[in-house]
Amino acid sequence: MQSVAHLVKVSVPGYLSELPIPDTFGGWFRLGFKDWLALVPPTALAAGVGYTVYRAYCPKARVACSGRTNKIVQLSNPKVVDTIDVEDISEKAAFCRCWKSKNWPYCDGSHANHNKETGDNIGPVIVKKNK
């Protein structure tokens, strides 16, 4: 525990106080290569912490990277497969591609909410009969 206290109270503040941060805007242009190199680790740490906070608290970031696409349709099956005869389609049919439809495999418009939440552009597959 003493090593952690030393790190927090002595080492990190000492390291940060020795960083070459200029007092003026023009001072940034006078930094040398070694000065810029010394600024890389704290900048990378700040970027990593910022990205982690963004991923944790931004709802759109969590939705976009949720992993699984299908969250409601036949989850107990290892693979979801549906067969529909073209002869059974009257004039046209819209099939879901967003996996959000309550009327699977047909589209019920659920992709509109999905697109609004995620910024995606998913729409249905429309199958028409030739006349």
Side-chain angles (χ1 to χ4, degrees), residues 66-81:
S66 59
R68 186 180 190 116
T69 303
N70 176 16
K71 295 182 171 102
I72 58 172
V73 179
Q74 300 176 22
L75 296 177
S76 61
N77 291 345
K79 187 191 290 187
V80 178
V81 178

Side-chain angles (χ1 to χ4, degrees), residues 81-85 88 105-106:
V81 178
D82 285 298
T83 305
I84 298 165
D85 264 341
D88 293 341
Y106 298 100

Side-chain angles (χ1 to χ4, degrees), residues 10-21:
V10 178
S11 298
V12 172
Y15 170 74
L16 293 175
S17 68
E18 293 175 9
L19 286 177
I21 299 175

Side-chain angles (χ1 to χ4, degrees), residues 48-123:
V49 168
Y51 180 71
T52 303
V53 169
Y54 166 74
R55 294 289 299 195
Y57 294 107
C58 181
K60 287 187 179 181
R62 278 186 268 140
V63 171
C65 189
S66 59
R68 186 180 190 116
T69 303
N70 176 16
K71 295 182 171 102
I72 58 172
V73 179
Q74 300 176 22
L75 296 177
S76 61
N77 291 345
K79 187 191 290 187
V80 178
V81 178
D82 285 298
T83 305
I84 298 165
D85 264 341
V86 176
E87 287 80 25
D88 293 341
I89 299 173
S90 57
E91 280 190 40
K92 71 178 183 177
F95 295 98
C96 178
R97 290 195 301 176
C98 71
W99 292 91
K100 311 273 187 232
S101 176
K102 306 280 188 281
N103 190 24
W104 180 264
Y106 298 100
C107 177
D108 67 358
S110 297
H111 59 272
N113 281 342
H114 167 79
N115 290 346
K116 189 183 294 185
E117 290 173 4
T118 63
D120 209 345
N121 64 349
I122 294 176

